[in-house]
Amino acid sequence: MNEKEHFMKEALKEAKKAYDKLEIPVGAVIVKNGRVIARGHNVKEEKKDTTKHAEIIAIQKASKKLDNWRLKDCEMYVTLEPCSMCAGAIIQSRIKKVYIGAMDEKTGACGSVLNLFKDFKFNHNVEAETGILKDECEDLLKKFFIELRKMKKNME
């Protein structure tokens, strides 16, 4: 297993925590100098807060750990392509590079619906690499939504 896969597996562990809470299973880790410094997973439902995405939580934790809002020289591994809110936060936090598992054809803002990292001129450029453990990331999401549909159908 290479380094990218290793860190995406760590993000997948976070996504599974969200899954177990009946949250959309997205996980993120932030890495600096080859070490995970922050982790996050979706808790929107639990916290009843639109902003509680995995990426935002990981950014908040990394900023606290580094005592700096600038996450220079940090990389993020995230199981699902960030939305526009999260992509904006990634740009603002100065993260150097984002490694993405699955793409999000409905709300993705790093290449699917739009690309905030490339198509617009911001004060900071973020590199992105997609397809890291893509199948594992997609399978977890598909399984979650199949089970969620079954639960909703059983409640009717």
Side-chain angles (χ1 to χ4, degrees), residues 42-57:
N42 279 2
V43 288
K44 267 173 54 169
E45 300 296 333
E46 177 185 331
K47 301 293 184 183
K48 296 175 181 32
D49 184 339
T50 306
T51 65
K52 296 299 183 190
H53 288 204
E55 301 94 322
I56 301 295
I57 292 165

Side-chain angles (χ1 to χ4, degrees), residues 46-136:
E46 177 185 331
K47 301 293 184 183
K48 296 175 181 32
D49 184 339
T50 306
T51 65
K52 296 299 183 190
H53 288 204
E55 301 94 322
I56 301 295
I57 292 165
I59 287 169
Q60 290 170 337
K61 288 179 178 179
S63 294
K64 187 173 184 174
K65 177 154 184 120
L66 298 177
D67 195 28
N68 197 331
W69 64 267
R70 290 178 190 88
L71 301 180
K72 244 176 63 159
D73 302 320
C74 291
E75 300 172 329
M76 178 182 281
Y77 290 78
V78 62
T79 58
L80 182 65
E81 178 185 5
C83 68
S84 56
M85 174 183 69
C86 293
I90 290 164
I91 293 165
Q92 290 295 319
S93 68
R94 312 297 196 267
I95 287 174
K96 178 174 65 174
K97 187 167 183 175
V98 177
Y99 295 92
I100 300 166
M103 297 304 279
D104 185 345
E105 302 298 324
K106 292 183 179 176
T107 64
C110 305
S112 289
V113 177
L114 62 115
N115 193 335
L116 287 178
F117 295 165
K118 284 189 177 180
D119 297 342
F120 300 90
K121 195 173 186 176
F122 290 107
N123 61 330
H124 175 71
N125 294 317
V126 178
E127 292 177 59
E129 186 174 329
T130 62
I132 313 300
L133 297 182
K134 176 182 181 266
D135 292 341
E136 284 184 54

Side-chain angles (χ1 to χ4, degrees), residues 4 6-8 20 24 26 28-29 36 51 61 67 71 74 82 87 99 102-103 106 129 131 137 142 151:
K4 293 175 200 173
H6 167 74
F7 289 124
M8 189 59 76
D20 291 342
I24 295 175
V26 178
V29 296
V36 174
T51 65
K61 288 179 178 179
D67 195 28
L71 301 180
C74 291
Y99 295 92
M103 297 304 279
K106 292 183 179 176
E129 186 174 329
C137 294
K142 285 176 188 171
M151 282 176 38

